[in-house]
Amino acid sequence: MELFLVEHRVFLPIFFGKLDFSISDFSLSVVFLPMILFLVMFFAMRKAQYHPKSLQNFVELIYEKFYGIFYGYLHEAGKKYIPFLFSLMLFIFVLNLGNLIPGVFPTTSQPTLTFSLGIVVFVLMTIIGFVSHGLKFYHHFIPSGIPGVLKPILFVLEVFSYCIRPVSLALRLAINMLAGHVMLHVIASFSKDLTPYSAISIAISGVLSIFEIGVAALQAYVFAVLSCIYIADILKGHE
Amino acid sequence: MEVQVAKMIGAALAVLPLFGVGLAIGQIFSTLISAVARNPSVKNDVFPMAILGFALTEACALFALLIAFLILFL
């Protein structure tokens, strides 16, 4: 399975037993790209005012836009999860966008990172389920209004579809970004001989890069909205 | 038949779901256009749903692409 191995340049190997804490271009990319996001947010909200000025205005505009979208799914009961979903979305967006810069390690096209995010969402979903419903959480896996014979079969199916959710979230993000990078690579490699015709492939790869910015935003939005729908589904219980 | 040739044919077969995905994406956007044309005020409510459906459908195509990659490069 060499497709799922991370081929990164290690600058400073740090190992605790078998755990790998090495400083590589992978970890630098994961740390420093969200740092930009953190700095923007920090300087925007450092002197928060009642009448917001330019940067604070911008940040609040984005937050309120997505607050409205998430609130539409979660309602009053799940209002406290909106900041988590918003920061998850911005984290993925910044990484997706930063990975389009040539030379930056493409972190979100590695299943390692996206599966970690998927597991975070999965654990959160399960904790919310047990906290809000207690041991009656298993009702979530049995649809109401079905004959008793079908219940065990449907229970197994529902548990399976519950467990497959983080996998589909993670694979969707990773494969979308991987497909984008592969497409850009293929189009750009047409121009490596530098004939006069290579201007066409350079122009196409420029257009595709702009398209990839849209895909980066879209995938971050989809990841957050799907997590939001899953959480809302669990909060609501199964009718 | 050589293994490499069989792999390439298999990868080509693996991306056949693009047929259905193309139909589905066309269906999503045609429905979006007709919904907005009938009632333009509903645009802001319907557009995120359409984008979500588009992304979910596109993911199917990319899962097929993943299988093609797995066949070709593994």
Side-chain angles (χ1 to χ4, degrees):
Chain A
M1 301 295 273
E2 59 261 35
L3 194 69
F4 296 109
L5 286 179
V6 183
E7 290 176 9
H8 50 175
R9 285 201 303 275
V10 179
F11 301 126
L12 184 65
I14 303 169
F15 286 98
F16 291 107
K18 283 202 165 184
L19 293 174
D20 190 355
F21 286 96
S22 310
I23 294 178
S24 59
D25 46 4
F26 185 95
S27 58
L28 285 181
S29 171
V30 171
V31 169
F32 279 101
L33 287 172
M35 199 71 88
I36 299 168
L37 174 71
F38 171 75
L39 285 179
V40 169
M41 286 291 173
F42 181 74
F43 281 110
M45 302 308 286
R46 189 179 48 165
K47 290 175 189 164
Q49 289 162 345
Y50 189 73
H51 297 291
K53 294 251 170 55
S54 53
L55 189 58
Q56 188 192 350
N57 221 342
F58 176 64
V59 169
E60 284 186 0
L61 183 77
I62 297 173
Y63 184 70
E64 278 164 16
K65 174 81 184 158
F66 286 103
Y67 188 92
I69 291 174
F70 292 141
Y71 191 85
Y73 292 107
L74 289 170
H75 305 296
E76 199 63 33
K79 208 172 69 173
K80 57 188 171 200
Y81 305 115
I82 293 176
F84 166 73
L85 291 167
F86 184 71
S87 45
L88 182 70
M89 186 184 71
L90 281 189
F91 177 75
I92 297 172
F93 175 63
V94 168
L95 281 184
N96 281 351
L97 207 59
N99 295 342
L100 291 176
I101 305 167
V104 176
F105 189 83
T107 40
T108 42
S109 62
Q110 297 291 342
T112 319
L113 185 113
T114 56
F115 271 89
S116 318
L117 290 174
I119 289 168
V120 167
V121 172
F122 181 72
V123 170
L124 181 73
M125 273 158 64
T126 314
I127 290 174
I128 290 171
F130 277 112
V131 167
S132 59
H133 297 296
L135 285 177
K136 286 186 175 175
F137 181 43
Y138 73 89
H139 284 304
H140 180 75
F141 301 113
I142 304 174
S144 59
I146 55 162
V149 190
L150 281 175
K151 274 183 182 174
I153 305 169
L154 277 175
F155 180 76
V156 173
L157 275 179
E158 288 278 331
V159 168
F160 184 70
S161 85
Y162 180 79
C163 294
I164 213 78
R165 279 172 183 179
V167 178
S168 81
L169 270 181
L171 269 185
R172 179 179 303 114
L173 179 60
I175 296 302
N176 261 294
M177 300 320 291
L178 181 69
H181 295 314
V182 168
M183 190 168 67
L184 280 179
H185 176 81
V186 169
I187 300 288
S189 68
F190 291 153
S191 68
K192 67 183 173 191
D193 291 336
L194 279 183
T195 53
Y197 299 109
S198 61
I200 300 170
S201 87
I202 291 172
I204 292 175
S205 63
V207 172
L208 281 178
S209 302
I210 296 168
F211 174 72
E212 283 301 311
I213 292 173
V215 171
L218 182 65
Q219 288 309 314
Y221 170 76
V222 164
F223 196 101
V225 164
L226 281 180
S227 315
C228 175
I229 289 173
Y230 294 156
I231 290 173
D233 190 32
I234 283 170
L235 279 176
K236 196 174 61 181
H238 223 297
E239 279 107 45
Chain B
M1 197 187 293
E2 286 184 32
V3 176
Q4 199 60 35
V5 179
K7 272 187 174 182
M8 284 185 173
I9 294 174
L13 288 176
V15 291
L16 276 185
L18 287 180
F19 170 73
V21 172
L23 282 181
I25 291 177
Q27 174 74 27
I28 287 168
F29 282 105
S30 81
T31 315
L32 173 70
I33 290 167
S34 67
V36 174
R38 280 162 196 247
N39 184 1
S41 68
V42 87
K43 187 186 174 189
N44 287 335
D45 297 332
V46 175
F47 190 68
M49 290 185 208
I51 290 297
L52 188 63
F54 165 72
L56 290 179
T57 317
E58 199 200 16
C60 288
L62 292 163
F63 290 148
L65 190 68
L66 172 71
I67 300 299
F69 279 144
L70 287 179
I71 293 171
L72 277 181
F73 298 119
L74 238 59

